[in-house]
Amino acid sequence: SDSNAWATIAKVRATVRSGDTVYFRSQDTWSSSSSPVLQATAGVTYRGTGYGSGTRATIQATGTQSLGTVYLNVSNVNFYGFNVDMNSQNAGGIWIGTTAGNTQNINVDNCEVHGSAGNSYTYGIYVGGYGTDTDVSNVQITNTLVHHTQHEGIAIYPTWARGGNSATNVTVRNCIIHDTGITGGVTWGDGIYIVNELNDIYIEFNTIYDCPVGMRYGNSRDAYVGDPHNINIRYNIVYNCNYGIGMNFGSGGHNSSANVYSNLLYENEVGLNIGGTHSGCTFNYYNNTVYDSTHTLSFGVRNYLSGMTNSILNFKNNIIAINDAGSYPIWIGTAGAEALWSHAYNLIYKSGSTTKWVHHDTVADYTNLQTKSTWDATSVITNP
């Protein structure tokens, strides 16, 4: 009953043990100016729904949160049904990781995370080791809304500052992310950022819109970055972003692999942005649909690969449709990029003009007929 309820998060932390479930009254707000507002205990389930008359219990920052407003840095934790309000503070939302030792088995479901400000690394949800030789594994983020964050919405991003950190077996499913990278004069702020030493990542059935970049995978430009392996980006909807899905390796990719398939990308300035240098990598792009009708200069696919050694880029069975006469369905931006991918059976279409269907750095732009006769005989050039 309410008369027996604990009034403070400090009481919760001092009392709960592994195996417990804690219900927060759903109409109430718990806030603090110290970091973090809620720090999890191993083996505990936290629920912000199911008790009380509200929709979700609120965990709110009232000051700078150096890691996150909610810190899930221990194993076997479930965090369900909370409103994590960064409250226009220089604060992150949910931080899943640790500064020492491995973390595993974390589930976040049915949450809303929003409202960071400032000009620091304030992610909506961060996943990744932050110590040295630390792995964060078996993480599921599902049915969660992330919006109005100063930096990335969801960052699967083992640290850029210390060696040997990784994330393994992470799933982001059925989430909505929008309006990231909005404050502090920054130009970054991906909806989902997937970089550095990663293994077995699944990004699926999400909707992302109004972000500088819908999602991007690769590695960062700093020390100790590592490379992503078995990245699976599938069945997502991405729209109204500068870039839909990007691939960018700042320091070169090594033995990386990704499967990008069955995504719907529309009204983005660039639908699929593919670039970087790679060695021993395999990237598969299958069955994606890219469409743009609103921008006066857009690219359905922009390929600016600068070098690949013993690597494979397969680009097959995709639909690329552009509705502006000055835009390009396919733009090949480096002299050697055309030789660095294998493309077949793609439907390429541009309404309103028969020119500028495929741009190639070393030759004149291809018309619609040249797209099929010269660029790829297996292509289809009819209106989808």
Side-chain angles (χ1 to χ4, degrees), residues 55-99:
T55 302
R56 295 185 180 97
T58 296
I59 308 294
Q60 183 183 73
T62 57
T64 297
Q65 306 291 325
S66 58
L67 294 179
T69 302
V70 174
Y71 193 13
L72 310 181
N73 66 324
V74 289
S75 295
N76 307 313
V77 171
N78 301 308
F79 186 78
Y80 300 146
F82 285 89
N83 172 31
V84 180
D85 180 11
M86 292 169 277
N87 192 30
S88 299
Q89 302 295 316
N90 188 2
I94 301 173
W95 189 287
I96 302 171
T98 181
T99 56

Tab-separated table of all heavy atoms in Angstrom, residues 55-99:
chain	number	residue	atom	x	y	z
A	55	THR	N	0.846	7.148	-16.338
A	55	THR	CA	1.283	6.346	-17.482
A	55	THR	C	2.651	5.733	-17.235
A	55	THR	O	2.848	4.526	-17.387
A	55	THR	CB	1.324	7.212	-18.750
A	55	THR	OG1	0.025	7.765	-18.974
A	55	THR	CG2	1.731	6.377	-19.961
A	56	ARG	N	3.609	6.587	-16.851
A	56	ARG	CA	4.964	6.123	-16.542
A	56	ARG	C	5.514	6.945	-15.388
A	56	ARG	O	5.364	8.167	-15.355
A	56	ARG	CB	5.916	6.292	-17.740
A	56	ARG	CG	5.609	5.455	-18.964
A	56	ARG	CD	6.718	5.643	-19.992
A	56	ARG	NE	6.487	4.871	-21.198
A	56	ARG	CZ	5.937	5.357	-22.300
A	56	ARG	NH1	5.566	6.627	-22.339
A	56	ARG	NH2	5.774	4.582	-23.359
A	57	ALA	N	6.172	6.317	-14.465
A	57	ALA	CA	6.894	7.048	-13.431
A	57	ALA	C	8.033	7.834	-14.080
A	57	ALA	O	8.668	7.365	-15.034
A	57	ALA	CB	7.438	6.083	-12.386
A	58	THR	N	8.316	9.027	-13.552
A	58	THR	CA	9.330	9.900	-14.128
A	58	THR	C	10.595	9.912	-13.278
A	58	THR	O	10.535	10.123	-12.062
A	58	THR	CB	8.791	11.337	-14.267
A	58	THR	OG1	7.700	11.341	-15.194
A	58	THR	CG2	9.866	12.287	-14.764
A	59	ILE	N	11.717	9.676	-13.937
A	59	ILE	CA	13.040	9.878	-13.338
A	59	ILE	C	13.619	11.116	-13.992
A	59	ILE	O	13.841	11.138	-15.208
A	59	ILE	CB	13.965	8.669	-13.574
A	59	ILE	CG1	13.283	7.362	-13.147
A	59	ILE	CG2	15.287	8.863	-12.860
A	59	ILE	CD1	13.015	7.246	-11.680
A	60	GLN	N	13.874	12.159	-13.216
A	60	GLN	CA	14.169	13.474	-13.793
A	60	GLN	C	15.486	14.042	-13.275
A	60	GLN	O	15.770	14.030	-12.076
A	60	GLN	CB	13.029	14.440	-13.450
A	60	GLN	CG	13.179	15.820	-14.065
A	60	GLN	CD	12.063	16.734	-13.616
A	60	GLN	OE1	12.040	17.177	-12.466
A	60	GLN	NE2	11.129	17.011	-14.516
A	61	ALA	N	16.279	14.555	-14.206
A	61	ALA	CA	17.516	15.251	-13.849
A	61	ALA	C	17.207	16.711	-13.523
A	61	ALA	O	16.470	17.374	-14.255
A	61	ALA	CB	18.512	15.183	-14.986
A	62	THR	N	17.779	17.220	-12.435
A	62	THR	CA	17.672	18.650	-12.127
A	62	THR	C	19.043	19.313	-12.111
A	62	THR	O	19.184	20.442	-11.672
A	62	THR	CB	16.964	18.860	-10.779
A	62	THR	OG1	17.665	18.157	-9.752
A	62	THR	CG2	15.523	18.379	-10.850
A	63	GLY	N	20.054	18.581	-12.584
A	63	GLY	CA	21.400	19.112	-12.707
A	63	GLY	C	22.191	18.246	-13.658
A	63	GLY	O	21.668	17.286	-14.240
A	64	THR	N	23.459	18.565	-13.851
A	64	THR	CA	24.321	17.813	-14.761
A	64	THR	C	24.445	16.361	-14.310
A	64	THR	O	24.682	16.080	-13.129
A	64	THR	CB	25.712	18.454	-14.819
A	64	THR	OG1	25.580	19.772	-15.355
A	64	THR	CG2	26.658	17.646	-15.697
A	65	GLN	N	24.273	15.438	-15.257
A	65	GLN	CA	24.438	14.015	-14.992
A	65	GLN	C	25.623	13.549	-15.829
A	65	GLN	O	25.523	13.421	-17.045
A	65	GLN	CB	23.173	13.242	-15.370
A	65	GLN	CG	21.906	13.779	-14.722
A	65	GLN	CD	21.857	13.536	-13.224
A	65	GLN	OE1	22.326	12.526	-12.730
A	65	GLN	NE2	21.281	14.477	-12.497
A	66	SER	N	26.766	13.298	-15.202
A	66	SER	CA	27.999	13.065	-15.947
A	66	SER	C	27.948	11.797	-16.785
A	66	SER	O	28.594	11.706	-17.828
A	66	SER	CB	29.194	13.012	-14.991
A	66	SER	OG	29.008	11.995	-14.033
A	67	LEU	N	27.213	10.789	-16.367
A	67	LEU	CA	27.056	9.580	-17.165
A	67	LEU	C	25.628	9.512	-17.696
A	67	LEU	O	25.377	9.691	-18.863
A	67	LEU	CB	27.411	8.345	-16.334
A	67	LEU	CG	28.875	8.235	-15.921
A	67	LEU	CD1	29.102	6.997	-15.077
A	67	LEU	CD2	29.792	8.215	-17.138
A	68	GLY	N	24.674	9.257	-16.824
A	68	GLY	CA	23.294	9.210	-17.256
A	68	GLY	C	22.377	9.513	-16.100
A	68	GLY	O	22.741	9.379	-14.929
A	69	THR	N	21.150	9.914	-16.405
A	69	THR	CA	20.140	10.103	-15.374
A	69	THR	C	19.814	8.765	-14.720
A	69	THR	O	19.573	8.679	-13.524
A	69	THR	CB	18.891	10.744	-15.995
A	69	THR	OG1	19.269	11.993	-16.606
A	69	THR	CG2	17.815	10.995	-14.970
A	70	VAL	N	19.810	7.700	-15.529
A	70	VAL	CA	19.663	6.335	-15.042
A	70	VAL	C	20.925	5.571	-15.433
A	70	VAL	O	21.333	5.592	-16.599
A	70	VAL	CB	18.424	5.660	-15.643
A	70	VAL	CG1	18.365	4.184	-15.256
A	70	VAL	CG2	17.159	6.384	-15.206
A	71	TYR	N	21.544	4.897	-14.479
A	71	TYR	CA	22.821	4.220	-14.718
A	71	TYR	C	22.623	2.725	-14.469
A	71	TYR	O	22.473	2.284	-13.326
A	71	TYR	CB	23.886	4.806	-13.798
A	71	TYR	CG	25.319	4.437	-14.132
A	71	TYR	CD1	25.664	3.842	-15.344
A	71	TYR	CD2	26.346	4.702	-13.232
A	71	TYR	CE1	26.975	3.516	-15.648
A	71	TYR	CE2	27.667	4.389	-13.523
A	71	TYR	CZ	27.968	3.786	-14.730
A	71	TYR	OH	29.264	3.464	-15.023
A	72	LEU	N	22.614	1.940	-15.568
A	72	LEU	CA	22.477	0.489	-15.485
A	72	LEU	C	23.855	-0.117	-15.727
A	72	LEU	O	24.190	-0.536	-16.832
A	72	LEU	CB	21.463	-0.007	-16.525
A	72	LEU	CG	20.112	0.718	-16.559
A	72	LEU	CD1	19.208	0.115	-17.618
A	72	LEU	CD2	19.434	0.715	-15.200
A	73	ASN	N	24.674	-0.149	-14.696
A	73	ASN	CA	26.073	-0.548	-14.832
A	73	ASN	C	26.376	-1.869	-14.161
A	73	ASN	O	27.523	-2.180	-13.866
A	73	ASN	CB	26.985	0.545	-14.263
A	73	ASN	CG	26.814	0.715	-12.753
A	73	ASN	OD1	25.703	0.586	-12.241
A	73	ASN	ND2	27.889	1.014	-12.065
A	74	VAL	N	25.312	-2.664	-13.890
A	74	VAL	CA	25.472	-3.994	-13.293
A	74	VAL	C	24.636	-4.969	-14.105
A	74	VAL	O	23.806	-4.577	-14.919
A	74	VAL	CB	25.032	-3.993	-11.813
A	74	VAL	CG1	26.023	-3.224	-10.956
A	74	VAL	CG2	23.620	-3.406	-11.663
A	75	SER	N	24.824	-6.242	-13.880
A	75	SER	CA	24.208	-7.262	-14.731
A	75	SER	C	22.813	-7.656	-14.257
A	75	SER	O	22.425	-7.435	-13.100
A	75	SER	CB	25.101	-8.502	-14.755
A	75	SER	OG	26.339	-8.224	-15.376
A	76	ASN	N	22.075	-8.261	-15.217
A	76	ASN	CA	20.774	-8.879	-14.926
A	76	ASN	C	19.764	-7.868	-14.392
A	76	ASN	O	19.121	-8.078	-13.351
A	76	ASN	CB	20.946	-10.038	-13.940
A	76	ASN	CG	21.978	-11.043	-14.408
A	76	ASN	OD1	21.965	-11.472	-15.564
A	76	ASN	ND2	22.904	-11.398	-13.530
A	77	VAL	N	19.605	-6.780	-15.137
A	77	VAL	CA	18.697	-5.704	-14.736
A	77	VAL	C	17.610	-5.523	-15.789
A	77	VAL	O	17.895	-5.509	-16.996
A	77	VAL	CB	19.457	-4.377	-14.539
A	77	VAL	CG1	18.493	-3.218	-14.333
A	77	VAL	CG2	20.410	-4.491	-13.351
A	78	ASN	N	16.368	-5.365	-15.336
A	78	ASN	CA	15.241	-5.023	-16.194
A	78	ASN	C	14.730	-3.645	-15.795
A	78	ASN	O	14.520	-3.374	-14.599
A	78	ASN	CB	14.119	-6.044	-16.040
A	78	ASN	CG	14.568	-7.452	-16.387
A	78	ASN	OD1	15.126	-7.682	-17.452
A	78	ASN	ND2	14.341	-8.390	-15.475
A	79	PHE	N	14.505	-2.800	-16.807
A	79	PHE	CA	14.071	-1.422	-16.558
A	79	PHE	C	12.894	-1.152	-17.489
A	79	PHE	O	13.068	-0.975	-18.695
A	79	PHE	CB	15.243	-0.473	-16.834
A	79	PHE	CG	14.980	0.962	-16.470
A	79	PHE	CD1	15.047	1.381	-15.146
A	79	PHE	CD2	14.681	1.903	-17.445
A	79	PHE	CE1	14.818	2.705	-14.798
A	79	PHE	CE2	14.453	3.223	-17.113
A	79	PHE	CZ	14.524	3.626	-15.791
A	80	TYR	N	11.683	-1.156	-16.924
A	80	TYR	CA	10.476	-1.150	-17.734
A	80	TYR	C	9.573	0.037	-17.393
A	80	TYR	O	9.320	0.322	-16.214
A	80	TYR	CB	9.647	-2.424	-17.481
A	80	TYR	CG	10.311	-3.731	-17.794
A	80	TYR	CD1	10.048	-4.857	-17.030
A	80	TYR	CD2	11.191	-3.862	-18.865
A	80	TYR	CE1	10.628	-6.088	-17.315
A	80	TYR	CE2	11.784	-5.082	-19.154
A	80	TYR	CZ	11.503	-6.186	-18.374
A	80	TYR	OH	12.094	-7.393	-18.663
A	81	GLY	N	9.092	0.720	-18.420
A	81	GLY	CA	7.968	1.621	-18.265
A	81	GLY	C	8.245	2.935	-17.567
A	81	GLY	O	7.390	3.437	-16.828
A	82	PHE	N	9.404	3.562	-17.823
A	82	PHE	CA	9.747	4.836	-17.183
A	82	PHE	C	9.788	5.979	-18.187
A	82	PHE	O	10.094	5.786	-19.372
A	82	PHE	CB	11.116	4.734	-16.502
A	82	PHE	CG	11.107	3.943	-15.226
A	82	PHE	CD1	11.306	2.569	-15.251
A	82	PHE	CD2	10.895	4.564	-14.003
A	82	PHE	CE1	11.297	1.821	-14.084
A	82	PHE	CE2	10.884	3.824	-12.826
A	82	PHE	CZ	11.088	2.456	-12.869
A	83	ASN	N	9.516	7.176	-17.682
A	83	ASN	CA	9.766	8.419	-18.389
A	83	ASN	C	11.070	8.993	-17.853
A	83	ASN	O	11.131	9.442	-16.711
A	83	ASN	CB	8.606	9.400	-18.162
A	83	ASN	CG	8.897	10.790	-18.703
A	83	ASN	OD1	9.609	10.953	-19.688
A	83	ASN	ND2	8.354	11.803	-18.047
A	84	VAL	N	12.129	8.953	-18.666
A	84	VAL	CA	13.430	9.483	-18.250
A	84	VAL	C	13.556	10.876	-18.843
A	84	VAL	O	13.725	11.049	-20.054
A	84	VAL	CB	14.582	8.573	-18.706
A	84	VAL	CG1	15.921	9.146	-18.273
A	84	VAL	CG2	14.397	7.171	-18.124
A	85	ASP	N	13.435	11.876	-17.984
A	85	ASP	CA	13.358	13.280	-18.399
A	85	ASP	C	14.671	13.967	-18.051
A	85	ASP	O	14.976	14.195	-16.877
A	85	ASP	CB	12.190	13.950	-17.690
A	85	ASP	CG	12.032	15.412	-18.061
A	85	ASP	OD1	12.702	15.862	-19.019
A	85	ASP	OD2	11.246	16.102	-17.391
A	86	MET	N	15.438	14.314	-19.081
A	86	MET	CA	16.703	15.020	-18.852
A	86	MET	C	16.480	16.501	-18.579
A	86	MET	O	17.405	17.221	-18.223
A	86	MET	CB	17.638	14.783	-20.030
A	86	MET	CG	18.097	13.337	-20.114
A	86	MET	SD	18.947	12.911	-21.655
A	86	MET	CE	17.563	12.571	-22.744
A	87	ASN	N	15.252	16.975	-18.808
A	87	ASN	CA	14.784	18.232	-18.230
A	87	ASN	C	15.631	19.437	-18.653
A	87	ASN	O	15.908	20.338	-17.868
A	87	ASN	CB	14.776	18.095	-16.694
A	87	ASN	CG	14.038	19.208	-16.001
A	87	ASN	OD1	13.091	19.776	-16.536
A	87	ASN	ND2	14.490	19.522	-14.794
A	88	SER	N	16.096	19.426	-19.909
A	88	SER	CA	16.915	20.520	-20.458
A	88	SER	C	18.216	20.724	-19.685
A	88	SER	O	18.775	21.831	-19.668
A	88	SER	CB	16.120	21.829	-20.514
A	88	SER	OG	14.994	21.690	-21.349
A	89	GLN	N	18.706	19.649	-19.073
A	89	GLN	CA	19.988	19.692	-18.380
A	89	GLN	C	21.090	19.122	-19.288
A	89	GLN	O	20.816	18.455	-20.274
A	89	GLN	CB	19.917	18.861	-17.098
A	89	GLN	CG	18.851	19.287	-16.130
A	89	GLN	CD	19.085	20.672	-15.565
A	89	GLN	OE1	20.214	21.024	-15.184
A	89	GLN	NE2	18.033	21.469	-15.497
A	90	ASN	N	22.339	19.399	-18.904
A	90	ASN	CA	23.478	18.775	-19.573
A	90	ASN	C	23.586	17.352	-19.030
A	90	ASN	O	24.374	17.056	-18.142
A	90	ASN	CB	24.744	19.578	-19.291
A	90	ASN	CG	25.924	19.096	-20.110
A	90	ASN	OD1	25.802	18.190	-20.923
A	90	ASN	ND2	27.076	19.708	-19.896
A	91	ALA	N	22.730	16.473	-19.556
A	91	ALA	CA	22.554	15.159	-18.944
A	91	ALA	C	22.252	14.122	-20.001
A	91	ALA	O	21.571	14.393	-20.984
A	91	ALA	CB	21.403	15.209	-17.926
A	92	GLY	N	22.758	12.905	-19.791
A	92	GLY	CA	22.371	11.770	-20.593
A	92	GLY	C	21.119	11.129	-20.020
A	92	GLY	O	20.677	11.459	-18.915
A	93	GLY	N	20.554	10.189	-20.786
A	93	GLY	CA	19.340	9.530	-20.345
A	93	GLY	C	19.631	8.239	-19.610
A	93	GLY	O	19.834	8.223	-18.398
A	94	ILE	N	19.658	7.117	-20.346
A	94	ILE	CA	19.944	5.802	-19.768
A	94	ILE	C	21.344	5.379	-20.218
A	94	ILE	O	21.610	5.312	-21.417
A	94	ILE	CB	18.905	4.763	-20.211
A	94	ILE	CG1	17.498	5.188	-19.784
A	94	ILE	CG2	19.244	3.387	-19.634
A	94	ILE	CD1	16.396	4.300	-20.332
A	95	TRP	N	22.203	5.098	-19.274
A	95	TRP	CA	23.585	4.696	-19.560
A	95	TRP	C	23.711	3.215	-19.225
A	95	TRP	O	23.559	2.815	-18.076
A	95	TRP	CB	24.548	5.523	-18.718
A	95	TRP	CG	25.990	5.356	-19.079
A	95	TRP	CD1	26.775	4.284	-18.831
A	95	TRP	CD2	26.828	6.312	-19.748
A	95	TRP	NE1	28.053	4.486	-19.295
A	95	TRP	CE2	28.116	5.722	-19.859
A	95	TRP	CE3	26.632	7.591	-20.242
A	95	TRP	CZ2	29.181	6.394	-20.456
A	95	TRP	CZ3	27.701	8.248	-20.834
A	95	TRP	CH2	28.948	7.651	-20.945
A	96	ILE	N	23.974	2.388	-20.249
A	96	ILE	CA	24.110	0.942	-20.071
A	96	ILE	C	25.569	0.584	-20.302
A	96	ILE	O	26.048	0.571	-21.432
A	96	ILE	CB	23.212	0.173	-21.051
A	96	ILE	CG1	21.745	0.581	-20.860
A	96	ILE	CG2	23.373	-1.333	-20.863
A	96	ILE	CD1	20.820	0.035	-21.930
A	97	GLY	N	26.287	0.351	-19.231
A	97	GLY	CA	27.710	0.061	-19.358
A	97	GLY	C	28.379	0.203	-18.020
A	97	GLY	O	27.736	0.353	-16.983
A	98	THR	N	29.661	0.162	-18.032
A	98	THR	CA	30.381	0.184	-16.768
A	98	THR	C	31.793	0.700	-16.982
A	98	THR	O	32.325	0.655	-18.082
A	98	THR	CB	30.411	-1.220	-16.146
A	98	THR	OG1	31.090	-1.163	-14.901
A	98	THR	CG2	31.099	-2.217	-17.049
A	99	THR	N	32.370	1.198	-15.917
A	99	THR	CA	33.756	1.648	-15.969
A	99	THR	C	34.730	0.574	-15.524
A	99	THR	O	35.932	0.753	-15.625
A	99	THR	CB	33.937	2.887	-15.068
A	99	THR	OG1	33.503	2.559	-13.750
A	99	THR	CG2	33.112	4.050	-15.592
